[in-house]
Amino acid sequence: MPSVTIIGSGPAGSATAIRLARAGWSVRLFDKERFPRAKLCGGFMSPESLEELEDLGILKLLREAGAIPIHRTVIASRKGTILESALPKEALSVSRYVLDNLLRQQAQACHAELHTNEDGFHQKVADDYTVVAAGRSNDSDRLSDHKPEFPWYARSKKRYFGVQAIFDDVQGITDQVELDLVESGYVGLARQKEGVNVCALTTHEAMHTYGPSLDRLLAHFMEENPILSGHLRGSRRTNAWLAVGPVELGIRHLTGDHTFFVGDAACVMDPFAGEGMSMALYGSRILAAALQQKSEPPDSFYRRLWHQAFDPALRWNAIMRLVYSVDLLREPSFHGLRWLSNGVAHMTSLTRYRPIQDLDEPIRLTVA
């Protein structure tokens, strides 16, 4: 029986545990925290990620737990220009508190061995492989021996900070996921069972200038964007702020010596694209296939298919980041997309991963 240690039981780690445990692997899943726990995240589950959750066996449970249907995207510029587009299929909005707990429980139901309050990096194990799914651990660097030359689109030199809290009495947030642009980044809003998730990506400079109070920082964002101000005027924060940083966007590591990286440990996608969850879940599918196929070394198989699936989205994401962050490009681009038929929908489709044909075949054959 092949064996694997998975470090980090968020969406990428738990999804990998589920898929390998189903295929008969001995799986040890580690997380440095106890569950359930809150996690900073916008909580947007794209239509593509719902297909993965169905395959993982928790989509029905997620709906029963109160996930909110999302049917459209809205982007608002600082000058009040609004881009709106219907999603091709239903998406969901759900807290990581709910999502991660359901995935962890499913991993245990598939006989993965769970160890909480242990990070896994310092456990002495003799497993065949290690999977790192802990996105912000400094221990990841020492496990990677593959140092590729990153293409221009795969790495951002700017460092960002993420902040997030839940608000009540928010106006006008119903079935959309919304991004309201500010000078230093953007504020995302989506309704969840607990309230409206307000999650922002900003820069160190903005944090230094308008913080350290995150309420004060949000008040400044409301002054910059009239649409955001209309939503949040009179609202009430219901929990403590969560913050994380510095966040470095782009590819980090993919493989090491009998080691593989998934989710944010592999690549941090700009949340603007709403593709981070999908990458985490689909990346676990690529990795499970890589570890079970016999046609080539699993590390080269994983890197090849990972780039095939995700590089097109990373290229377009870098272009979009340039457009929304440069004043001279932002407003003309918004007006152009408003008058271009299906412009926003097409732009959104460019940021989605490219499914690999018949990727699930090795997994299903093994399970059968």
Side-chain angles (χ1 to χ4, degrees), residues 42-47 49 70 87 91-94 177 192 274 277 352:
F44 175 69
M45 308 298 299
S46 70
S49 61
I70 299 293
L87 289 168
L92 292 177
S93 176
V94 65
V177 58
Q192 295 175 351
M277 293 286 206
R352 298 299 180 240

Side-chain angles (χ1 to χ4, degrees), residues 12 23 51 61 70 87 95 145 162-163 170 173 176 191 199 212 243 260 265 292 295 303 311 329 342 347 350 354 363:
E51 295 177 9
L61 296 173
I70 299 293
L87 289 168
S95 70
D145 62 1
V163 300
V170 177
I173 301 299
Q176 82 268 36
R191 186 165 294 280
C199 193
F260 298 83
Q292 295 176 82
S295 60
R303 289 195 301 269
D311 276 16
L329 297 176
N342 296 321
M347 178 186 71
L350 294 173
R354 304 298 187 264
I363 302 174

Side-chain angles (χ1 to χ4, degrees), residues 139-191:
D139 291 293
S140 298
D141 294 337
R142 64 181 177 82
L143 296 180
S144 175
D145 62 1
H146 189 71
K147 310 285 186 184
E149 290 293 326
F150 289 112
W152 64 271
Y153 55 81
R155 208 72 187 261
S156 172
K157 294 181 180 179
K158 183 174 287 188
R159 294 186 171 190
Y160 296 90
F161 281 79
V163 300
Q164 184 249 333
I166 301 297
F167 284 73
D168 275 347
D169 302 322
V170 177
Q171 304 301 312
I173 301 299
T174 55
D175 68 337
Q176 82 268 36
V177 58
E178 180 163 326
L179 294 173
D180 296 341
L181 303 186
V182 295
E183 183 179 3
S184 61
Y186 49 84
V187 180
L189 302 99
R191 186 165 294 280

Side-chain angles (χ1 to χ4, degrees), residues 17-285:
I18 292 166
R19 287 178 160 133
L20 291 177
R22 282 176 176 174
W25 284 54
S26 173
V27 178
R28 301 184 343 134
L29 181 61
F30 289 88
D31 201 288
K32 65 181 180 180
E33 299 183 27
R34 294 187 182 277
F35 281 76
R37 51 95 175 100
K39 192 78 170 179
L40 191 153
C41 183
F44 175 69
M45 308 298 299
S46 70
E48 294 83 1
S49 61
L50 300 195
E51 295 177 9
E52 295 303 307
L53 293 173
E54 177 70 33
D55 183 67
L56 292 165
I58 71 157
L59 181 56
K60 182 175 182 290
L61 296 173
L62 202 64
R63 294 184 188 278
E64 292 172 351
I68 302 295
I70 299 293
H71 297 114
R72 56 197 174 101
T73 62
V74 175
I75 307 174
S77 78
R78 292 167 59 197
K79 294 187 177 181
T81 305
I82 295 177
L83 298 176
E84 182 172 343
S85 177
L87 289 168
K89 296 180 180 179
E90 182 183 76
L92 292 177
S93 176
V94 65
S95 70
R96 289 285 299 277
Y97 183 93
V98 172
L99 174 68
D100 290 14
N101 202 43
L102 287 175
L103 283 168
R104 175 191 60 82
Q105 290 174 351
Q106 181 73 331
Q108 287 183 288
C110 294
H111 305 295
E113 181 183 311
L114 179 68
H115 301 263
T116 58
N117 210 28
E118 298 180 65
D119 67 10
F121 281 104
H122 307 295
Q123 312 301 318
K124 293 183 178 180
V125 298
D127 289 333
D128 297 314
Y129 295 102
T130 298
V131 173
V132 179
R136 293 194 48 79
S137 176
N138 294 327
D139 291 293
S140 298
D141 294 337
R142 64 181 177 82
L143 296 180
S144 175
D145 62 1
H146 189 71
K147 310 285 186 184
E149 290 293 326
F150 289 112
W152 64 271
Y153 55 81
R155 208 72 187 261
S156 172
K157 294 181 180 179
K158 183 174 287 188
R159 294 186 171 190
Y160 296 90
F161 281 79
V163 300
Q164 184 249 333
I166 301 297
F167 284 73
D168 275 347
D169 302 322
V170 177
Q171 304 301 312
I173 301 299
T174 55
D175 68 337
Q176 82 268 36
V177 58
E178 180 163 326
L179 294 173
D180 296 341
L181 303 186
V182 295
E183 183 179 3
S184 61
Y186 49 84
V187 180
L189 302 99
R191 186 165 294 280
Q192 295 175 351
K193 180 180 179 181
E194 299 83 1
V196 171
N197 184 331
V198 176
C199 193
L201 190 74
T202 186
T203 61
H204 177 270
E205 292 77 15
M207 294 278 285
H208 178 75
T209 302
Y210 303 107
S213 166
L214 297 183
D215 289 318
R216 181 169 173 251
L217 179 68
L218 182 63
H220 173 73
F221 291 158
M222 292 170 63
E223 292 175 359
E224 288 191 323
N225 191 304
I227 306 300
L228 178 66
S229 180
H231 289 313
L232 295 181
R233 191 182 300 116
S235 65
R236 177 177 60 91
R237 179 167 57 84
T238 62
N239 68 341
W241 283 101
L242 297 176
V244 62
V247 176
E248 298 183 26
L249 304 177
I251 300 174
R252 300 179 63 190
H253 311 288
L254 293 181
T255 61
D257 182 17
H258 289 82
T259 302
F260 298 83
F261 298 81
V262 290
D264 283 354
C267 178
V268 180
M269 176 68 94
D270 189 334
F272 187 88
E275 188 70 343
M277 293 286 206
S278 294
M279 286 185 68
L281 298 174
Y282 196 71
S284 76
R285 180 184 290 272

